Amino acid sequence: MQKQKTKLVSNVITMTYRNLLKTFHNPDSLLDVVVQPVLFMVLFGYLFGGAIAGNVHDYLPIIVPGILMQALLSAASGSGTQISDDMNTGIYTRFKSLPISPLAPLAGQLLADIFRLLLAALAAIGTGYLMGWRPQSGFGWLIVVIMLDVFLGWALSWIFALYGLIAKSATMVESISLMTMLILIFLSNAFVPVQTLPRFMQFLVTINPVSYVISASRTILNDGFWPRDAWIVLGAGVLTVLVCSPLTTIVYNYKNNK
């Protein structure tokens, strides 16, 4: 039994390393994880900072949590694309012929997502820091926000992974993931004050789960305490993992055994 557990851990680590290498050697994947957060932070910060907050410096406390969440959504969606690509190219069929645990490829993908999410978070936060942003609550609370947002991004990775298993092509996964990310981010409080929006859009922003994440991050970073929104975000992430992880595993085993 102990030998089997050791073998599973070894297999998962190997698959995690393989997926990370695939990300770093694939320009499209690396663009989503590193370049996109930097580009959006610079463009949105300098384009909208003066119009919305009067200057870039005053706009950064608003936009940094928004770009952080956008970066994590984009990185999380890559999970579905990679799984769909591996399924359609027959890589998983080759894995079945190897003396490895059947769950190792899926577990390795989801574990690699944690590192990809951390990289995306560091790219977003680092760019904001270089532009002059500083967390008012201190470095410790910044770590808390990164951990909370990365956990939620990892929870969403299970949803995208599930879609990657059932979608017909990686292109379809990319299209749906992009539309989902754009709707969730731009129909939230990420970039503009909610009170400036029309009433019907204010309602949509209010019920958007991404708005809770961004509000919680702003409160923690600016005021230095754990708000009610953060508990909602944490609970939603745990619930998503509890529901989607077994469902994704069942679908994976079904597809893998066909």
Side-chain angles (χ1 to χ4, degrees):
M1 187 67 177
Q2 184 64 33
K3 188 175 181 180
Q4 290 179 344
K5 289 182 179 179
T6 304
K7 181 182 178 181
L8 175 60
V9 171
S10 176
N11 294 160
V12 170
I13 291 175
T14 301
M15 287 298 169
T16 300
Y17 180 65
R18 176 252 176 191
N19 283 294
L20 288 174
L21 284 180
K22 186 176 179 181
T23 296
F24 290 125
H25 291 169
N26 187 338
D28 292 339
S29 299
L30 201 60
L31 181 73
D32 290 340
V33 175
V34 177
V35 179
Q36 190 182 98
V38 174
L39 185 63
F40 274 98
M41 185 73 75
V42 173
L43 285 178
F44 279 50
Y46 287 113
L47 283 175
F48 302 140
I52 295 175
N55 57 71
V56 176
H57 184 268
D58 290 339
Y59 186 49
L60 287 175
I62 298 174
I63 196 176
V64 168
I67 296 295
L68 173 61
M69 195 60 224
Q70 182 188 35
L72 294 181
L73 272 174
S74 180
S77 67
S79 177
T81 304
Q82 289 196 18
I83 287 178
S84 179
D85 184 57
D86 284 345
M87 282 284 185
N88 294 326
T89 54
I91 296 298
Y92 279 4
T93 303
R94 295 183 182 181
F95 287 157
K96 287 194 293 185
S97 66
L98 299 176
I100 62 174
S101 170
L103 287 176
L106 178 63
Q109 175 64 59
L110 272 299
L111 184 58
D113 283 344
I114 297 177
F115 294 97
R116 294 174 67 251
L117 289 163
L118 282 170
L119 187 60
L122 291 175
I125 294 294
T127 306
Y129 192 89
L130 291 175
M131 291 172 64
W133 171 79
R134 299 293 184 272
Q136 298 298 315
S137 57
F139 183 75
W141 284 110
L142 175 60
I143 299 299
V144 171
V145 166
I146 291 176
M147 291 176 62
L148 177 65
D149 286 12
V150 166
F151 170 70
L152 185 66
W154 182 72
L156 294 174
S157 292
W158 284 98
I159 298 177
F160 287 112
L162 177 60
Y163 186 70
L165 289 169
I166 61 178
K168 293 183 179 180
S169 68
T171 303
M172 183 179 293
V173 176
E174 289 179 355
S175 299
I176 297 297
S177 299
L178 179 60
M179 286 190 291
T180 302
M181 184 192 71
L182 291 178
I183 291 172
L184 289 175
I185 285 295
F186 286 100
L187 206 57
S188 72
N189 59 353
F191 306 119
V192 298
V194 178
Q195 61 270 19
T196 63
L197 301 174
R199 284 191 175 275
F200 78 96
M201 291 193 69
Q202 289 186 27
F203 172 74
L204 295 176
V205 169
T206 302
I207 63 174
N208 185 350
V210 170
S211 295
Y212 285 90
V213 185
I214 296 171
S215 295
S217 299
R218 284 176 181 157
T219 301
I220 295 172
L221 291 172
N222 295 329
D223 301 326
F225 74 92
W226 184 268
R228 175 176 172 270
D229 286 344
W231 287 115
I232 296 175
V233 171
L234 185 61
V238 171
L239 182 62
T240 300
V241 173
L242 290 177
V243 172
C244 292
S245 57
L247 186 59
T248 302
T249 303
I250 291 171
V251 175
Y252 170 80
N253 285 330
Y254 172 76
K255 298 276 288 190
N256 207 34
N257 293 327
K258 287 179 66 177

